[in-house]
Amino acid sequence: MKRLTLFFICYISVYNVFAQEQKTIVDSTFIDGVPFKSVNEFYIFGDVAVIGNNILSKDSKKPFNDRLEDNDNIKMKYVDIDDNPETFSSSQATLKLPNDVKKIAYAGLYWTATYAYEKGTRKSQKENYIYRGNGKRSPVLNQIQFKIPDQDYKSITGQVIYDGSTNTTHVINSPYVCYADVTNMLQELNNASGDYTVANVKATEGFLSGGSAAGWMLYVIYQSPTDNPKYISTYNGFALVNHKPVDITFKNFKSVNQGDVKTSIVVSALEGDNNLQYDQCAIIKANKNEFQSLSNGARYQQNFFNSTITNNSIINRDRLPNSENTLGFDIAQLDIPNYNNSLINNSMSETTLRLNTQSDRYYLYFTAFQTEISQAYFNDVVQDNTKTATTQVSVAPEIIRSNPETQPSYNTIEKRKPYQYTKKGLNSKSFNYLKRKKSTVVIGIEGGYYVVTNVFSDATKASRWTANLIKKGFDADVFVNPKNNWNYVYVLRSDTAEDAFKLMEELKTNYRYRDTWIFKANLD
């Protein structure tokens, strides 16, 4: 594994922190990837739009519409629609936004592919195929070309979220995923609607064991008038969905107090085959410990990931090429069929998405969740942020909490005064849960409350993070948990929950340390 870092949504609740920390540690799914982390959270009057396209197909320009064929049996070629000699792969999709958009709040660009070598061949030998690769794989995955409406290509350098070439489980097809925040580029446009083209995404052409696949996705959050405010959160990571389910829990919201709860999700995955069934996308039922498989006219309960790009029940055809079969690349935007609020009930503040399969393994790399929230809850969020903002505001149409590497540059509430710790914090549910929570047994470390800022599987990366904290004046250190061999970087070990909780709350007012949490060890 190249890197395994734990991230958590930790707005206020330590309960959220420990619940997900425990679940992620026992879930071995992420041995074959990296844990999903929160990229950002918005409280906003607005909505989202998502577009994308595949970058490998049977033909470089013609759409591929045979829904009965999988990428395993096709000699794949780069899609290349732009007739530009400086690009070797390119595909296009059209973004359509409503006329009442006030501004673009966020835009995230992702690209992903299987890329073990440049070109592959296969030969039949008895009842099997023998695969051979030609051309050394390029080490540069995160550099592409991106064209926005009415402009020329611009070079984009993104963040490599995962590269499977160093993982023994994935090296045979070496999937990867990259991400770039392109908010500024879209904000500079007078009208962000139009054609977007992504070029020079690298992938394996020809044949690859299990089939080769590639594509890109643009996820956009925009501010516009809506009846109710919304909570919108995005996550990225990389998970092999195979024999064990992958659960992603969404928190930090409160749905509307009465009436129908309108909720939707976006998920994107690599290597979902149309002909292989029994893959599912499910959501937990309200107040019940059971999951409901999602479906619509384009995606079925037992074959959710089926190599299509869909907006609810409609295949998105505003693409070039507009293939019905995207050969192992999926984007699904889906309204939750929340009949009688059976899945998301009024005043709910948590739900869980489950990805599962029984035969068709696939790679999940992105998911997003949005739901209408109560006006009172939105007002509370606004008030809470304005109390700590350097500038008071009377109207806050959008609030964002975001990771430092993906911090948009638009004007929002993000600069805070130093945290003022009060006794109120000691009476919070988060603190009381911390006091009651049973501690974890870790051999070789002193008992206490550890204020943890990051967790790594790679000791070298843990050392770098520790050194960086020390340079900033923290008394940072690291311990290894023998149960999982992960490196926990902490800035305080305290005998008392009060001191640890105080420091955690102070650190979380700085967006660089917003994922700080408390590890309670050897105290029972």
Side-chain angles (χ1 to χ4, degrees), residues 67-68 70 241-242 271-281 300-306 356-362:
R67 297 295 303 279
L68 300 179
D70 292 330
V241 185
N242 196 356
E271 271 300 310
D273 293 317
N274 183 52
N275 283 338
L276 293 179
Q277 299 187 10
Y278 305 109
D279 55 86
Q280 299 173 326
C281 177
Y300 310 114
Q301 285 189 351
Q302 298 299 321
N303 192 18
F304 189 88
F305 293 97
N306 57 10
N356 203 359
T357 186
Q358 298 179 33
S359 62
D360 182 16
R361 78 173 197 169
Y362 56 94

Side-chain angles (χ1 to χ4, degrees), residues 15 61 94 214 230 402 442 479:
Y15 173 84
K61 289 182 171 59
T94 303
K230 294 178 182 177
S402 177
V442 179
F479 69 82

Side-chain angles (χ1 to χ4, degrees), residues 374-384:
S374 67
Q375 182 68 56
Y377 182 77
F378 178 79
N379 292 341
D380 288 342
V381 173
V382 172
Q383 183 179 12
D384 179 67

